[in-house]
Amino acid sequence: MAGVSTVHRPDSAATTRRGEGLIEFLLRASAAVGIVTTVGIITVLVVEALFFFVEVPPVDFFTGTRWSASILPYAFGVIPLVTSTLLIAFIALVLAVPLGVLAAVWMSEFASQRVRLIIKPILEILAGIPTIVYGFFAITVITPLLKATILPDLGTFSALSAGIVVGILVLPLVASLTEDALRAVPRGLREGSYALGATRWETVRRVLLPAALSGIAAAVILAMSRAVGETMAVVLAAGTNPQLTLNPTESVQTMTAFIVQISLGDTPTESIQFKALFAVGATLFAITFTLNLISAWLVARYRNVYE
Amino acid sequence: MNEREPVTKPSVSQIGASAPSGATEATSASSKNPALLLENVSCWYGGFRAVREVSLAIPRNKVTALIGPSGCGKSTLLRSINRMNDLVPGFRMEGEIAFEGTSVHARATDVIDLRRRVGMVFQKPNPFPKSIFENVAFGLRLLGETTGIDALVEESLRAAALWDEVKDKLDQPGLSLSGGQQQRLCIARAIAIRPEVILMDEPCSALDPKSTLQIEELMRKLIRDYTIVIVTHNMQQAARASDYTVFLTMGDDRAGYVVEQGETGKIFTAPQQQLTADYVSGRFG
Amino acid sequence: MSSQTTTRRKVANALFGLLAFLAIFASLVTLVALLIDVVARGGSSVDLQFFTSAPSRIPAKAGILPALVGTLWVTTLVAIMTFPIGVAAAIYLEEYAGRGRWSRLLRINISNLAGVPSIVYGIFGLALFVRLLGLGRTVFAAALTLSLLILPVVIISSMEAIRAVPPSQREAAYALGATRWQMVRRALLPAAAPGILTGIVLAVGRAVGETAPLILIGAVTFVTFVPVNPFEDKYTVLPIQIFNWAGRPQAAFQEISAAAILVLLVLMFLLNLVAVILRARLSRTIQW
């Protein structure tokens, strides 16, 4: 190679390669932190819940309709906590699903690019506001507003206020996931519909929504999971009164609110109440985990169809 | 199904046998001792065979052009030489590619070292989002080079005929250059680590005619120090810039195979095969 | 087709468009109402004394100094811990793990973890860090718990940033004889840096606002001193302080609660601003 200065090839190459194995090990270890966390969470919940079930039979826990952890006689039937949780989640979804889906349709089918660039960040801001702030909003605005307008007898705490605020809180989630699902619908389907003279609304109703259905279902399920696991907004808005009721104007206690209540007090760690915290936590985890899996399965399904 | 046209598979010595006019002794010597030797190379992507039993000798310090219709496996073949196809899931190669007498796929062959000795320039210019200087210095830094980088960068940029255009803005981003300049930057980047062979995968397909000519002139200069293999779908380019031409096409099973190879002048003026004649005269492809 | 049907179809279309617009408008109104509520209630309470005082039984004298310091402590530690592990895990999943069963399991696991309620992380942190490892109810235990909580978010956003780097960049580095790690460190990470950093800052922002897990990790609501030692001292954070004040019936406490929310929101806004600026600065040279 005359005329070209040579680059000496030092054996540094060999040393850099010796490090490769170590680096890959470290990277793999980091990725495994996730697995360790999952296994850790499940182990902790199962083991600690077992200590509880030694004292309270699982049948009593899962089928009991009375929950009284602080007032004698104690009762640990989890059904009131579960139904309260579901009641609030239901109210939230009744609000968030229609609004969220409509918002998504509007963003993906009606809004101009420029408007979308304004709206998207607003939804992201809404999604990023801490839930404690939503809780504050519920007690300072939503409950007083409900009292002043349609429900003058509403108490300070109610499932309704909590449901509404949780609905606001999960709305951005429903909207953005639904928008993803709508965007995954191939252009060809839209164009086919418009070419037949359909209006936008007809295209949305007859083509897009059916095509995006499993994606929208996934969004709804994930929103439900978020609503079930939501804590601070619910603690502040729904109160801590464990009762079996489907009346949304009552104060209720959700699973998460019970966990907070026990953690806030000076409950001794050996007490039955403290052990109940883990049993309720395990139940909560099982419910949300199942919902998340269903949602992931639905997403995988619509991806399979269109990608 | 018809029997395919008999495939010319000249032996290694045949390729350089007819040395171009004015060739020096060094040329015929190098063609007897090719830089790269491909024997019965077949490539698969999963179950699909992309290349069938290709045998070639790539002469030293020459430009060898691989031409043929798109999809005939030229790029696949090229990327097998520096084993870039290792990165493609499902890729498999059979046959033998020898670089300086050593199999590139042998267990003992170090792919990192191979790629340092066999450089590559891609279809679309792909400078790193770094300064012009750091783009050229990239490979040197990989080697752990710490001294003399400035001089090597300048030398490489001069060799790539880019120095005069960028010497006052070496700290500007490489991506701020024009397409033709970016591609010459990528060539400078490739030659900075002084490879022995430079593989070029349709290096001008994204460039305007003026930049294309600049790159072709550059290739003619670079063969003083390097062996160049270029894939191109542009026949004029092969005719203008290469010393040897290999024409590939695909069979009924879409696997690429070599129809004819030889000195560029001969392939374009007196092809032996009807398929070659049709292709170079623009009747298909 | 009669003109009557056509008219009806057009009206239906217009009505639907209006309805959909109203849905968006409703969320906009909510956001504005929320901000007005917080500013109107808390704005007047935010003064220098509010930043420099500890909580007090007298609302007018109360401040957020310990909570603010606690939040800064926790945030810093969370950022330090999640950055290397999150990015390393993302690199592994995108560049090393391939597409086999093991990597699919890892991916599914990460997205599942992202959906676990934050309070469950609190329970886990309580059992593991506070009790089993004996770290106690400290800033350190809180930071570890929140790190686990946002790690999936960091990993997912880093993976997206890495995936956005064009394959031609990887090829360019490999063709120059880069080893896999050299390719990652010198080509991939510099190119993915804007996306990765933005994702981390946003994830850390999430940790700033988290409340529920820290109730379990024992962030105390009445801390009158500034925590100095993250491994020993009792601590509180802004969201916990907000929770404590918001739950009291007196209007004065709700006012300082709103004031603390205002500070929290400004803090998060600043973090978002940092993310935007980082992104703009770092990606100025990167335009594929």
Side-chain angles (χ1 to χ4, degrees), chain A residues 2 4-5 9 12-13 17, chain B residues 110 116 143 145 155 194 225:
Chain A
V4 179
S5 61
R9 296 198 171 80
S12 68
R17 250 163 289 173
Chain B
D110 183 284
R116 282 174 186 167
L143 285 166
E145 208 76 25
E155 200 180 303
R194 301 291 176 259
D225 300 307

Side-chain angles (χ1 to χ4, degrees), chain A residues 31-54:
Chain A
V33 168
I35 295 281
V36 174
T37 308
T38 304
V39 173
I41 287 174
I42 294 174
T43 311
V44 161
L45 291 176
V46 168
V47 170
E48 299 278 351
L50 284 179
F51 284 115
F52 172 78
F53 287 128
V54 168

Side-chain angles (χ1 to χ4, degrees), chain C residues 20-122:
Chain C
F21 172 75
L22 285 177
I24 285 278
F25 193 68
S27 16
L28 228 151
V29 167
T30 312
L31 181 62
V32 171
L34 193 148
L35 293 178
I36 289 177
D37 176 45
V38 169
V39 173
R41 248 173 244 276
S44 59
S45 303
V46 183
D47 50 20
L48 189 64
Q49 178 262 330
F50 189 63
F51 284 100
T52 53
S53 314
S56 158
R57 285 178 215 293
I58 305 151
K61 284 188 180 174
I64 52 166
L65 183 63
L68 196 59
V69 174
T71 286
L72 293 179
W73 259 122
V74 172
T75 312
T76 312
L77 289 176
V78 165
I80 291 171
M81 288 190 276
T82 50
F83 177 75
I85 296 178
V87 176
I91 292 170
Y92 181 78
L93 288 170
E94 282 299 312
E95 299 298 323
Y96 285 75
R99 297 281 158 190
R101 192 176 294 183
W102 167 243
S103 98
R104 232 184 51 217
L105 177 75
L106 286 174
R107 277 160 217 269
I108 293 173
N109 178 58
I110 298 286
S111 55
N112 253 319
L113 277 177
V116 171
S118 62
I119 195 159
V120 172
Y121 282 94

